[in-house]
Each structure stands twice: as structure tokens, then as C-alpha cells.
Amino acid sequence: NAGVTQTPKFRVLKTGQSMTLLCAQDMNHEYMYWYRQDPGMGLRLIHYSVGEGTTAKGEVPDGYNVSRLKKQNFLLGLESAAPSQTSVYFCASSQVGDRKTNTEAFFGQGTRLTVV
Amino acid sequence: AQKVTQAQTEISVVEKEDVTLDCVYETRDTTYYLFWYKQPPSGELVFLIRRNSFDEQNEISGRYSWNFQKSTSSFNFTITASQVVDSAVYFCALSERGEYGNKLVFGAGTILRVKS
């Protein structure tokens, strides 16, 4: 099993450009998440999805949009990239466990994005 | 308000010392899960443990142990007889109910450096 796969692994963007990060999971998980990791800030939740067609804002959603048209895919879009969006982005997925709470999350390998 | 607080930004120990990583959380849910993840220098996120809110039994796995105390909202992680390979960033995380379902939020992480 591939688990959680992120595409691309590295990207350099110019300010104002747009791009989409793709996350794919093959574990039939209900929940999917996008995080960004910055030094000293830990993993901050950008958006998450509790099922196909449903998305919600996390802690730092501004400047990002997401879509989950298929259960296995969760897309993160940057419409107009800014240098402040330079970060490492992680996608994760998890299943609904006992008592409607999450099982552990499985993470992708990360995408290193630089905006110049 | 920060939901997961890891007050120790960085800890340095000498090999074979014991070390405890602190985690304090905040939630209004009565049912929630807590997690610890490890991020070695290679960058991937490795799941270590999950505890649910209705089970306060402490857990030991080899050199790792976890102390969950609801009374103090803490979920601390102890490594006994630390080794150089334990050097990593360790994250504590909380699964709590969001407006659209459960979301998983992380603390800022603790950098552990184990010196030989």
C-alpha cells in the first residue's frame, strides 16, 4: 500500500503564481487534513475534510482553498502565492474510530514549497 | 487559545539519561484522543501512541512510557535511557470535535537532542 502520497515533493513559485498540491490516500479513510510546518510553530492545521464533498477551515486557512471531490483525494490550492506561504506542507488521513473520534493519522512525505 | 501546549522548545541530554517531554492540552470535549508523533531528521512523521479520554492507564512500550492525567490535562512522554537515535522533534496532538467533525491539532513540538 502506498498510504498517503503527496505531489509534488518540491516546488518553487514566484509571488502571485498559483498552484495545487495533491494528496491521495488509498486506505479508504474518511478524514483528511492539510498542515503547514514552520520552524518553532509545529504543525498548523490549514483545512480538513470529514468526508467526500465536505471541507472545513482549520487554524490558518487564509490564502488557501481546498476541495475533496473524491474520497481518496484532497487538494490544496494557493490562488496567489505569497512569500509567507513558504513552508513544508503535510497531508494526512485518518479513520473514524470508536466513539466517533479519530484513529491515528497517517502522513504523507511532505511538500517543500518556496515562494520567491 | 492554544489547544496543545508543549512548553519545552528544545531539550538536550546525554545518552542514557532519562528525559520527559511535557504536553498540556485544552478541550471542552468529554471524549477525545491524544497522540504523540516523532519527526526524525529525515522529516517523516511517525506515530507513537494514541490514548483516549476515558482510559487513564499509563502505558509503557520498551524505553517509552506515557503518563496521562486528566486532572491536570497533561499527557507526558518519558524516554528512559535515551539514545542518539531518539534525537528528533516530538509532537503532541489532540483530536477534538470541530464544527464539521473531528479535527486533529498539534502542539509546537519539542526538539530533543541526545548527545553521545
Side-chain angles (χ1 to χ4, degrees):
Chain A
N1 280 344
V4 180
T5 303
Q6 291 182 231
T7 309
K9 291 186 171 46
F10 303 93
R11 186 73 185 268
V12 178
L13 283 180
K14 292 183 179 178
T15 298
Q17 286 185 320
S18 63
M19 78 163 293
T20 299
L21 280 67
L22 170 63
C23 177
Q25 54 98 0
D26 60 3
M27 296 171 283
N28 202 35
H29 284 171
E30 294 293 332
Y31 287 98
M32 295 187 75
Y33 315 85
W34 275 107
Y35 296 91
R36 60 177 291 173
Q37 183 176 18
D38 303 292
M41 306 290 286
L43 290 159
R44 292 184 292 170
L45 183 63
I46 304 172
H47 286 279
Y48 65 106
S49 170
V50 301
E52 183 178 323
T54 303
T55 63
K57 295 179 180 180
E59 302 166 287
V60 289
D62 294 342
Y64 305 95
N65 56 75
V66 289
S67 64
R68 191 155 178 213
L69 300 179
K70 295 183 179 181
K71 186 177 184 178
Q72 64 267 33
N73 295 336
F74 195 29
L75 278 62
L76 178 70
L78 287 73
E79 290 187 348
S80 179
S84 60
Q85 294 178 304
T86 294
S87 188
V88 179
Y89 292 84
F90 284 96
C91 175
S93 71
S94 69
Q95 189 52 286
V96 178
D98 298 338
R99 305 194 184 198
K100 303 298 183 183
T101 56
N102 303 65
T103 64
E104 63 269 27
F106 294 80
F107 282 82
Q109 292 299 304
T111 295
R112 187 171 295 275
L113 175 66
T114 302
V115 183
V116 297
Chain B
Q2 191 167 3
K3 299 292 187 179
V4 180
T5 302
Q6 295 180 255
Q8 303 149 308
T9 303
E10 184 170 338
I11 302 175
S12 289
V13 299
V14 177
E15 215 172 10
K16 298 185 182 177
E17 284 186 16
D18 298 347
V19 58
T20 295
L21 310 180
D22 297 333
C23 174
V24 174
Y25 63 93
E26 175 188 338
T27 182
R28 296 177 182 173
D29 284 350
T30 55
T31 301
Y32 52 89
Y33 276 98
L34 296 161
F35 303 83
W36 276 95
Y37 281 83
K38 174 182 180 180
Q39 187 178 41
S42 51
E44 74 272 21
L45 284 144
V46 179
F47 165 74
L48 295 177
I49 190 171
R50 176 186 62 182
R51 301 299 290 172
N52 60 55
S53 55
F54 38 89
D55 182 0
E56 286 193 72
Q57 280 191 340
N58 291 327
E59 185 159 335
I60 298 175
S61 176
R63 297 184 296 106
Y64 295 170
S65 62
W66 291 269
N67 183 358
F68 176 31
Q69 293 194 342
K70 288 180 74 172
S71 61
T72 56
S73 296
S74 65
F75 185 41
N76 296 336
F77 173 30
T78 297
I79 301 175
T80 302
S82 61
Q83 299 175 1
V84 173
V85 293
D86 295 326
S87 297
V89 183
Y90 290 87
F91 292 101
C92 181
L94 165 71
S95 169
E96 62 168 358
R97 205 162 310 173
E99 185 178 359
Y100 299 100
N102 296 319
K103 59 181 180 179
L104 185 62
V105 293
F106 284 76
T110 297
I111 300 170
L112 175 63
R113 302 190 196 279
V114 181
K115 302 175 183 176
S116 58

